[in-house]
């Protein structure tokens, strides 16, 4: 019989190749997972930043349209009087164990909802409330002067 040479890989060579391939794949998977995780974090931060930007634009628009009354229509309130519909006020309140400011003022920047888009002097109130997650939401209350509906739209 002739001495035939077998061509191929030994079992040890195949096992070493599998181990090297596994290490490379784990490294690539870890890098990909870190890349995806970082992308999600950046996306969440951008979404949060955009919500803050929209809220600040709304506050800026409300404040730029503040309605100020002059005497004799405006009567200076006494110290303990409730703020009237044409008064600018800021007061401190406790929400969820933290202190926040509540700000109210008259503005011509009413945001109408529904088919009728009424305009006029609106009472705008910004306040903070605690949500179901234990975090805080900035809320905006907007009511046209003369409307007695005190429902909380936030």
């Amino acid at each position: 019989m002739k001495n035939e040479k077998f061509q191929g890989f030994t079992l040890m060579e195949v096992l070493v190749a599998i181990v090297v391939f596994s290490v490379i794949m784990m490294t690539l998977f870890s890098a990909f997972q870190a890349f995806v995780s970082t992308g999600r974090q950046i996306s969440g931060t951008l979404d949060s930043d955009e919500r803050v930007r929209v809220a600040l634009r709304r506050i800026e628009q409300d404040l730029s349209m503040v309605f100020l009354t002059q005497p004799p229509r405006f009567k200076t309130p006494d110290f303990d009087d409730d703020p009237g519909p044409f008064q600018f006020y800021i007061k401190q309140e406790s929400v969820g164990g933290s202190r926040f400011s509540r700000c109210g003022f008259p503005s011509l920047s009413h945001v109408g909802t529904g088919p009728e888009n009424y305009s006029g002097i609106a009472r705008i109130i910004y306040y903070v409330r605690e949500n179901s997650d234990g975090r805080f939401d900035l809320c905006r209350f907007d009511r046209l002067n003369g409307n007695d509906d005190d429902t909380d739209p936030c």
Side-chain angles (χ1 to χ4, degrees):
M1 280 199 158
K2 291 184 183 179
N3 192 3
E4 295 182 26
K5 278 191 156 183
F6 293 104
Q7 293 192 351
F9 298 105
T10 66
L11 180 60
M12 187 57 73
E13 291 171 333
V14 170
L15 289 175
V16 168
I18 290 174
V19 168
V20 169
F21 178 75
S22 298
V23 168
I24 291 171
M25 290 307 293
M26 286 188 331
T27 303
L28 289 175
F29 178 74
S30 296
F32 180 73
Q33 190 174 20
F35 176 75
V36 169
S37 167
T38 302
R40 285 186 186 141
Q41 288 174 348
I42 290 172
S43 176
T45 301
L46 290 176
D47 289 345
S48 176
D49 287 351
E50 183 60 26
R51 284 192 301 266
V52 168
R53 195 175 358 269
V54 167
L56 288 176
R57 263 190 246 126
R58 178 78 248 170
I59 292 170
E60 176 187 22
Q61 186 176 12
D62 288 343
L63 289 172
S64 70
M65 299 290 288
V66 164
F67 180 79
L68 301 174
T69 55
Q70 301 294 321
R73 188 174 181 188
F74 176 74
K75 177 187 157 248
T76 305
D78 291 331
F79 182 73
D80 290 335
D81 284 352
D82 285 332
F86 298 110
Q87 291 179 343
F88 193 105
Y89 75 89
I90 298 176
K91 62 182 174 182
Q92 293 287 314
E93 60 186 14
S94 179
V95 178
S98 298
R99 303 275 302 156
F100 293 99
S101 296
R102 173 185 284 257
C103 178
F105 52 90
S107 177
L108 296 172
S109 182
H110 171 66
V111 177
T113 58
E116 296 93 12
N117 193 10
Y118 298 113
S119 62
I121 302 169
R123 184 87 185 129
I124 309 291
I125 300 172
Y126 282 97
Y127 63 97
V128 174
R129 75 172 186 183
E130 189 173 13
N131 63 24
S132 60
D133 297 336
R135 295 168 38 177
F136 300 102
D137 295 327
L138 175 63
C139 299
R140 178 185 186 272
F141 181 81
D142 179 344
R143 183 181 73 200
L144 277 175
N145 203 23
N147 183 354
D148 293 333
D149 182 16
D150 276 336
T151 55
D152 181 4
C154 189

